[in-house]
Structures are given as structure tokens and as C-alpha cells.
Amino acid sequence: MTDRQSNIAVVTGAGSGIGRAVAVELLRAGWSVALAGRRAEPLAATAALAATAALAPGAASLAVPTDVSRPEDVEALFTATVERFGRVDLLFNNAGTFGPGGVPVEELPYDAWRHVVDTNLNGAFLCAQAAYRRMKEQDPQGGRIINNGSVSAHTPRPRSVAYTATKHALTGLTKSLSLDGRPYRIAVGQIDIGNAATDMTARMETGALQANGEVVPEPVMDVADVARTVRHMAELPLEANVQFATVLATAMPYIGRG
């Protein structure tokens, strides 16, 4: 744990996958967590999963159904968090979507492109902006934002133009927020994840399209390893920051020729 007086987190996309794993990890470590996601039922399942663990004293969860692409939903999320817990110490900006997979760029519908941009980029901006406002004004001042990037922020997969473009943009968002947050003790970093085992990545183990046109199964890693990395980043003192971290399945085709 840190030496701060409180540990209050907002986790978006908390109803499944990486968001759920991170939320449960933080709750088990004594954080209080606002669980954000589009549907109430998966958020309740995340809270129930955390409740079965040996939670540290003081940990509590708050489920807030939220569409991060809607400014009014995001504002309601952070208002509810502050009303319940008093402040915001951490935002894990995790909500995202791949969009339609395997669609050639010339055939990608504009609506599909827009949905990915609205969720992955606009949603991340809206949540970061709302967190930034609270962190700047609260006492003690400051907090931390961790954006969920992807190894696609460095190297694209075939036929992933919308997802890859938003993840590259997220890196720019991370850098800009990190710079602008310095005067207010707001630390901003990014975790880039490759092949964590979740429902979203189940297809990797059966076969993923490679740059040479082949479809090849890829190794995955335990999502708990991602959650522990996020927790490490989150629990650093605000005087220290992991600017960028890359966590991936060791043998996935990413470095060099794979």
C-alpha cells in the first residue's frame, strides 16, 4: 500500500476481462473501486467475485453503469464516485473495443470506425478529463491515470485500422496528460498489453491472422499478471511514475519475426 490516506479508484470496462481482473486485484489490496461499464449485470458479477476474496479492511465497491462515449454518463460516474468515497486517486482508463475483426480497410463501415473511435479514444479522453478535474481540485491534490494501450500502439495487426489508430492516439493522449498534469501532482502512464487471456482474446489461441496471411494460434498469458502490473503502477508514490509499460505473452509474435 502507499502512504497516502486514501486509495480510491475508478476502473472503466470493469465488467469483464482486464478491467474485472484489475478491479478485483485493487479491491483485494484494500482499494475502494468505482466499477464502470455499460451493463449493470457484469458489474455486479465483478463486485460479487471480489467479495468472495479476502478483502483488506476498508475496501468497498460501487457499480455505476456507464457508456464512456457519453459525456453525461462520464460526469455522472465521477460525481457518484466522489459522493461515495470523497475523492479520486486513480483512474484505470480501460474501456475499449476491437471493433469488427478482419475487415479490410476499404470495406470498413464508417459507423464501425466511429464506434471504435468513440469508445477507445473519445471515451478515454472524457474519463481522463473528468478525473483530471477532480484530482486538480481535491485536497490533497493529485492522483494517477493509467491508460490501457496495447501492443497495437506500437505494431499493428493486419486489418485492424480502427483499433490500431485509436491505440496510437492513446499514446499521444498519455504523453500530453502526463505533461499537463505535472503542476498538479497528476501522474499519467500507459500499460500496453499483448495477448492477455480474456474473452476478447479467445480467438488468439485458436488462430490469429498474421502479416504473411497465415492464421496461426498464439500464446496467451494470465490476465492476473496484467492486474498485478497495474497495481504496481497504481501504488507508486506520486513522485514516481511508470510512463510506459509493456506486458505480453513471452512468445507471442511481436518482437522481430515472432
Side-chain angles (χ1 to χ4, degrees):
M1 296 289 290
T2 68
D3 58 2
R4 286 178 287 151
Q5 293 299 308
S6 64
N7 290 282
I8 311 300
V10 174
V11 176
T12 66
S16 63
I18 291 168
R20 172 175 284 176
V22 169
V24 170
E25 178 73 17
L26 292 174
L27 284 162
R28 288 174 174 169
W31 289 70
S32 290
V33 182
L35 308 169
R38 287 179 300 156
R39 295 177 295 136
E41 294 81 1
L43 297 179
T46 297
L49 180 63
T52 64
L55 300 187
S61 65
L62 171 68
V64 187
T66 306
D67 181 341
V68 297
S69 70
R70 296 171 57 88
E72 60 272 26
D73 279 20
V74 172
E75 184 61 26
L77 165 65
F78 283 85
T79 297
T81 302
V82 172
E83 287 179 351
R84 171 70 181 276
F85 299 121
R87 59 184 286 119
V88 178
D89 296 301
L90 170 70
L91 165 65
F92 181 44
N93 226 347
N94 167 72
T97 180
F98 285 133
V103 179
V105 61
E106 68 273 17
E107 297 177 13
L108 183 70
Y110 176 71
D111 287 348
W113 164 273
R114 182 61 183 267
H115 174 65
V116 176
V117 172
D118 281 344
T119 303
N120 294 4
L121 180 57
N122 294 342
F125 163 74
L126 290 170
C127 290
Q129 183 184 57
Y132 190 101
R133 288 170 175 159
R134 273 73 177 182
M135 292 171 179
K136 181 180 176 182
E137 298 301 326
Q138 63 196 10
D139 184 22
Q141 189 181 60
R144 189 181 306 275
I145 298 169
I146 301 174
N147 293 324
N148 184 354
S150 169
V151 295
S152 291
H154 308 275
T155 303
R157 289 187 178 275
R159 297 181 175 181
S160 66
V161 64
Y163 183 77
T164 296
T166 57
K167 292 304 184 179
H168 273 71
L170 201 64
T171 298
L173 180 70
T174 298
K175 291 179 178 179
S176 189
L177 289 170
S178 183
L179 178 60
D180 292 345
R182 286 179 183 174
Y184 310 110
R185 299 188 75 242
I186 299 173
V188 185
Q190 180 171 317
I191 183 167
D192 296 326
I193 302 164
N195 286 16
T198 68
D199 290 342
M200 286 183 68
T201 60
R203 62 186 176 86
M204 302 298 179
E205 294 182 90
T206 58
L209 182 64
Q210 307 297 307
N212 64 0
E214 295 181 3
V215 176
V216 178
E218 295 186 8
V220 297
M221 64 175 170
D222 192 332
V223 70
D225 294 322
V226 175
R228 283 191 289 270
T229 304
V230 173
R231 178 185 165 192
H232 168 70
M233 296 169 70
E235 293 189 338
L236 289 171
L238 291 177
E239 291 72 27
N241 187 39
V242 176
Q243 188 67 70
F244 293 98
T246 303
V247 183
L248 60 137
T250 304
M252 70 172 290
Y254 170 63
I255 297 297
R257 298 178 183 268

